[in-house]
Amino acid sequence: MNGNLSLATQSIKTVVGGLKKKLSNLKIQVETFDAELEKIDNKFDNLITQSEIFKTKLEREMGREVKRLERELDLLRKQIAKGTFTLEPSTNELKVASTIAILNSLLRHISQDADDFRLASESFLFPSVFERILTHPDYLIEEVPPCMDTVIQRGREYVEWVRKEYYTHLTNPTTWEDAVPYLAEWWKNDALPMIYGARDEQWELDEPLTLPEMMVWRDNPAERPLQFPTIFDAFEIYERNKDAIMESSGLAEFEKKRFTNDK
């Protein structure tokens, strides 16, 4: 009798022990499940946060673009009302050619062998300056500005800073995203105000072209008339008139001096 009771007691203890072990395993599984749920919840919250950030950024960029277009339209209305929108073609073409030639010379002397720096600079200058040359008389540069040498010197110093700051060329997507805003700040706050004698509020609204857009410009010339029609037209005018403006713009003399000084 006592033997049977002892056996039953031992059997119950075994069952209870097994149940406790299963219960412990179940608790662990529940805790693991809760942890996974928390991770999913955190990821979902992060996704919502990133979506809100993207939405805010998009709204801000679209807002700037709308403001820029409104200013463009307002300026065009004023030019049309004053009768200054259309310039004499022959005179205008020479001024456009001079402007492109001077800006090209500036970029060439600053960048030298740093083609990536020039491309990154053009990503800001194309929408901020080059696209306005055909329609905004204030953006025309008929003669080499007196500050040209100073801008070139400062630009070369900036190239040196870029090379020390970044370990890759600027055409690296990550480097481009980080560096181009700095280059844009230098152009609109330092170089361009010296060249034009003042800052333009439009530059604060301008957004640089993206790396893929600039790679299309660099690597696919056949796409330029479709992708960059205004800039393409300005360069076409320059190509037709570049020989005619070298002396009148002062570029011929300037290039001779630079050639001597850079030896």
Side-chain angles (χ1 to χ4, degrees), residues 12-25:
I12 292 173
K13 287 182 178 180
T14 301
V15 172
V16 170
L19 289 175
K20 286 183 178 180
K21 186 175 181 180
K22 289 181 179 179
L23 181 59
S24 178
N25 290 336

Side-chain angles (χ1 to χ4, degrees), residues 41 63 117-118 123 158 163 165 168 172 213 219 230 235 244:
D41 191 47
F117 185 90
R118 175 165 185 163
S123 74
Y158 205 78
R163 289 294 181 249
E165 188 71 14
T168 70
N172 175 282
E213 287 174 314
D219 298 335
T230 305
F235 273 92

Side-chain angles (χ1 to χ4, degrees), residues 57-105:
K57 182 179 179 182
L58 183 62
E59 289 175 346
R60 182 172 62 253
E61 291 178 353
M62 291 303 296
R64 289 176 180 172
E65 183 65 12
V66 169
K67 289 180 181 179
R68 185 184 71 81
L69 291 174
E70 287 175 346
R71 290 190 180 186
E72 293 277 353
L73 288 173
D74 184 58
L75 181 60
L76 288 175
R77 291 191 191 101
K78 291 178 180 178
Q79 289 179 334
I80 292 172
K82 293 179 180 179
T84 59
F85 178 73
T86 303
L87 300 175
E88 184 66 24
S90 58
T91 303
N92 188 46
E93 282 203 355
L94 292 176
K95 292 180 179 180
V96 169
S98 295
T99 304
I100 296 292
I102 290 169
L103 292 174
N104 272 348
S105 176

